[in-house]
Amino acid sequence: MVQKYQSPVRVYKHPFELVMAAYERRFPTCHLIPMFVASDVVEEEGNEEGSTNRVERRCALDVDAPRLLKRIAGVDYVYFIQKNTLNRKERTLHIESHNETFSNRVIISETCCYSVHPENEDWTCFEQTASLDIKSFFGFESTVEKIAMKQYASSIKKVCLLLHLINTCKLGVSFVLSEKLNSMQNTVGAVFVLCFCVTDKLDADYIKRYLGDLTPLQESCLIRLRKWLQETHKGKIPKDEHILRFLRARDFNMEKAREILCQSLTWRKQHQVDYLLETWTSPQVLQDYYTGGWHHHDRDGRPLYVLRLGQMDTKGLVRALGEESLLRHVLSINEEGLRRCEENTKVFGRPISCWTCLVDLEGLNMRHLWRPGVKALLRIIEVVEANYPETLGRLLILRAPRVFPVLWTLVSPFIDENTRKKFLIYAGNDYQGPGGLVDYIDKEIIPDFLAGECMCEVPEGGLVPKSMYRTAEELENEDVRMWTETIYQSASVFKGAPHELLIEIIDASSVITWDFDMCKGDVVFNIYHSKRAPQPLRKDPLGAHVITSPVGNNVQLIDKSWMLGQDYSMVETSLTCKEGESVQGSHITRWPGFYILQWKFHNMPACSATNLPRVDDVLATLQVSSHKCKVMYYTEVLGSEDFRGSMTSLESSHSGFSQLSAVTTSSSQSQSSSMISR
């Protein structure tokens, strides 16, 4: 299996031309890069204007290997072929290199690119990818590949090992940099040392500040998985911190992490978990009898959640609320935990990616082992394990009674092994001594019910009154209602009866965003603009002007007397959306007025007599024509500043949110738009 490495985008705070001048100083040799022994030009060509230059070089590297090994191999140096393509007009340099030495046994390929930063023309970006494929190594090809790639990635971050011309070689630490800079008498020399002796701080600081310490290979896994999601995932791309949790949960195995992450993203969208904190309100019975709550933070700055499980009437809560309400409440706790981690990251100036949970078991007895209650607990554990990996930093279990081993035997098989390693269990009052609670939580915030000095607002619990119990039928209906309630709206689309949504825009630079799923059938999605509102002027609760349709949740706004190009105009190219697709996009408005989002029935093209239809086409036509189309959608209007601020990227580059729109990615048109089928 070929081993791959991909770096994040490195950013140098210097113009492209200055970086290129520094880059050229390494040829044919450079005393600042001692392992780069020599380089010979094999071929060189350029265009008449002089804007493009292509150079092929044969480069010699003095690799760090024992002399005996070099003698056995019969070589003193390792030779690489490097091809550079410099485009001065577009301000790009593309570098491709591969090994010449040992090419019958090992294939090493590397691609690098220097380009102008998309948001600052006085800065230069650098990207790098590499692959290593060992064809023959006495049966140990896979093992040697992994070891070699780790060494390669490590050398990129440390010193003096690149596969062609050491494009990101770091020749020392800060004191070396200072010494070299003091000896330089010209700007180009200073930039040379700056660019190739020190990792740029724009991305390095971001990683250290928000993600923590990552090895180059771990960093590469994060970049590759995020890039894969941007290219293939149907939906919103999660933050780097979110992706990183799934990678860590699978020890940075890309395939395994990608599988569980995609499953979780689908689950989050199906159940609208991203909007849970905005839409979920705990029932009063939970507020009164659920014995858990957030309480300051531990010594490491992690949010601290306190759960008095021994005081909780699990049977009463299940009988009064049902499994789904309890699960929804626990999910809201996890979502709140992620939010608090982000806040603490800002407060403490270092990445806080998980929380600490303190579980007090005083009062735990056999009634807590009620079978439906244990079943609900196991389901909650299963859902949390699958969708919130690596969010629990430490679990402190205090005052574990004799019945605890029975409960532990039931639940431990459902808990991931890495998670179980984070459990610390104390029986009786053992937590009060050395090695106990004070090692993890400041004495000042130990809850009062644990003999501490801090008042804890976690409810004391107690038995849920039986008068609040519900019948099995009532609980089942409540579960169905709960998971069907969503911020998304549903609409039907029929032949000759499109569904339309009206949005009034006051600020011309606003951003209309949309996210919809095609639940059934195919539609064509359009966006129109009109200076005047459709008639009649009756408004629905969402602010849309409604022309009521005789077919339920279907709204038509554009009057048949309106003329396209006269009464209203199309502002986006039509987009055909197939059944099962998720569509996400945005439109930056150019003018104030009224914008109409339209989902129109997609008519299959008629079949001519000379072109007989395929059986599959006929069946598809019959299936679509015999059913109505159904769409589930959500729209939001944002200010342009808020919209730009919501897009985060390691590269500080264009968001994948608008990557399919040529208009949006054009820097010459500030009033841009996008429509994406993901």
Side-chain angles (χ1 to χ4, degrees), residues 107-361:
I107 298 177
I108 304 171
S109 300
E110 187 178 55
T111 302
C112 301
C113 178
Y114 289 92
S115 60
V116 178
H117 194 285
E119 297 177 5
N120 190 327
E121 63 178 13
D122 292 328
W123 292 355
T124 304
C125 296
F126 173 77
E127 279 185 279
Q128 177 183 15
T129 60
S131 65
L132 176 66
D133 184 10
I134 297 182
K135 298 296 184 182
S136 175
F137 202 88
F138 314 107
F140 295 97
E141 290 80 12
S142 179
T143 302
V144 174
E145 282 176 358
K146 292 179 181 179
I147 294 174
M149 186 51 70
K150 285 184 178 179
Q151 180 62 36
Y152 170 76
S154 177
S155 299
I156 288 176
K157 200 167 186 177
K158 295 179 182 178
V159 293
C160 300
L161 181 60
L162 272 184
L163 299 179
H164 63 94
L165 285 178
I166 322 167
N167 283 296
T168 54
C169 180
K170 287 79 178 175
L171 297 178
V173 289
S174 58
F175 72 90
V176 176
L177 173 62
S178 300
E179 184 180 47
K180 296 295 182 183
L181 286 176
N182 289 336
S183 65
M184 290 293 173
Q185 300 298 320
N186 58 73
T187 306
V188 172
V191 173
F192 180 87
V193 178
L194 181 62
C195 289
F196 304 112
C197 293
V198 181
T199 304
D200 185 85
K201 293 299 180 184
L202 286 182
D203 50 67
D205 282 352
Y206 166 80
I207 293 172
K208 185 176 180 180
R209 175 72 171 76
Y210 294 100
L211 305 180
D213 294 327
L214 298 177
T215 68
L217 276 184
Q218 291 172 345
E219 189 179 297
S220 175
C221 287
L222 173 61
I223 301 299
R224 288 162 57 196
L225 183 51
R226 179 160 53 82
K227 184 176 181 181
W228 180 85
L229 287 171
Q230 290 172 339
E231 294 173 350
T232 63
H233 179 60
K234 295 180 179 180
K236 191 164 59 175
I237 305 302
K239 295 181 179 179
D240 294 323
E241 298 93 317
H242 191 93
I243 300 174
L244 194 57
R245 290 188 182 98
F246 285 84
L247 283 168
R248 283 173 172 153
R250 292 298 180 266
D251 297 322
F252 287 87
N253 183 306
M254 278 278 295
E255 296 301 321
K256 293 181 179 179
R258 181 167 59 188
E259 180 181 357
I260 61 173
L261 175 57
C262 289
Q263 291 173 355
S264 179
L265 292 177
T266 301
W267 170 84
R268 292 183 70 88
K269 185 166 187 177
Q270 286 176 343
H271 301 297
Q272 299 305 302
V273 179
D274 287 341
Y275 307 99
L276 192 58
L277 293 180
E278 303 168 13
T279 58
W280 169 251
T281 301
S282 298
Q284 191 62 44
V285 64
L286 277 174
Q287 298 178 33
D288 295 337
Y289 295 99
Y290 189 87
T291 56
W294 294 99
H295 181 74
H296 301 283
H297 56 79
D298 68 4
R299 287 183 178 272
D300 295 321
R302 297 166 175 167
L304 176 63
Y305 190 82
V306 176
L307 180 64
R308 303 183 67 178
L309 185 59
Q311 304 298 314
M312 187 182 297
D313 181 10
T314 53
K315 179 178 180 179
L317 289 175
V318 172
R319 291 291 301 273
L321 296 169
E323 280 189 25
E324 298 302 333
S325 288
L326 281 175
L327 174 59
R328 181 69 70 96
H329 185 64
V330 173
L331 295 181
S332 71
I333 293 171
N334 281 269
E335 290 297 306
E336 174 66 16
L338 295 177
R339 188 188 67 79
R340 287 174 178 259
C341 284
E342 290 186 5
E343 288 183 353
N344 285 17
T345 295
K346 298 175 183 178
V347 171
F348 292 97
R350 62 178 185 274
I352 307 293
S353 60
C354 53
W355 54 81
T356 293
C357 186
L358 188 156
V359 181
D360 179 26
L361 295 184

Side-chain angles (χ1 to χ4, degrees), residues 356-579:
T356 293
C357 186
L358 188 156
V359 181
D360 179 26
L361 295 184
E362 185 183 49
L364 189 76
N365 53 45
M366 292 302 295
R367 68 182 172 86
H368 290 90
L369 303 182
W370 179 58
R371 189 178 184 85
V374 174
K375 175 176 172 289
L377 176 61
L378 294 179
R379 179 165 177 243
I380 289 171
I381 292 174
E382 183 180 16
V383 172
V384 171
E385 281 284 303
N387 298 286
Y388 298 92
E390 294 299 313
T391 53
L392 180 65
R394 184 179 295 115
L395 182 66
L396 302 170
I397 299 177
L398 308 183
R399 302 198 281 195
R402 292 182 179 181
V403 74
F404 174 71
V406 180
L407 179 62
W408 179 249
T409 302
L410 293 173
V411 302
S412 60
F414 294 86
I415 302 174
D416 182 76
E417 182 180 355
N418 289 334
T419 303
R420 289 201 299 267
K421 293 177 181 178
K422 301 172 184 177
F423 284 34
L424 295 174
I425 303 173
Y426 299 89
N429 292 321
D430 291 346
Y431 70 91
Q432 294 180 342
L437 200 56
V438 291
D439 286 358
Y440 307 103
I441 301 174
D442 288 334
K443 184 178 179 181
E444 295 78 19
I445 65 168
I446 293 179
D448 53 336
F449 60 84
L450 293 175
E453 302 174 358
C454 187
M455 293 295 295
C456 185
E457 297 181 358
V458 173
E460 295 183 0
L463 295 176
V464 178
K466 291 186 178 181
S467 59
M468 303 182 73
Y469 287 10
R470 298 188 184 185
T471 65
E473 183 178 357
E474 289 175 331
L475 291 175
E476 183 178 353
N477 292 336
E478 177 66 14
D479 290 345
V480 172
R481 181 197 64 80
M482 182 171 301
W483 287 116
T484 53
E485 279 188 350
T486 172
I487 63 168
Y488 280 66
Q489 299 180 63
S490 296
S492 298
V493 181
F494 302 87
K495 279 188 176 180
H499 178 73
E500 295 165 342
L501 177 69
L502 186 71
I503 299 176
E504 184 176 2
I505 296 297
I506 305 300
D507 185 356
S509 60
S510 299
V511 182
I512 302 173
T513 68
W514 58 83
D515 180 4
F516 63 87
D517 293 300
M518 289 308 308
C519 304
K520 180 183 291 187
D522 303 343
V523 302
V524 176
F525 180 60
N526 293 304
I527 303 180
Y528 301 102
H529 172 263
S530 174
K531 294 181 180 179
R532 60 190 178 96
Q535 299 293 329
L537 293 176
R538 183 174 62 83
K539 290 188 177 182
D540 71 355
L542 295 176
H545 295 77
V546 178
I547 299 176
T548 306
S549 170
V551 283
N553 55 346
N554 176 271
V555 177
Q556 299 174 58
L557 302 170
I558 300 176
D559 192 272
K560 291 183 179 180
S561 63
W562 277 25
M563 298 289 293
L564 183 63
Q566 180 176 332
D567 298 291
Y568 67 110
S569 60
M570 182 180 290
V571 296
E572 284 280 6
T573 304
S574 297
L575 180 68
T576 302
C577 310
K578 302 292 185 180
E579 181 174 326

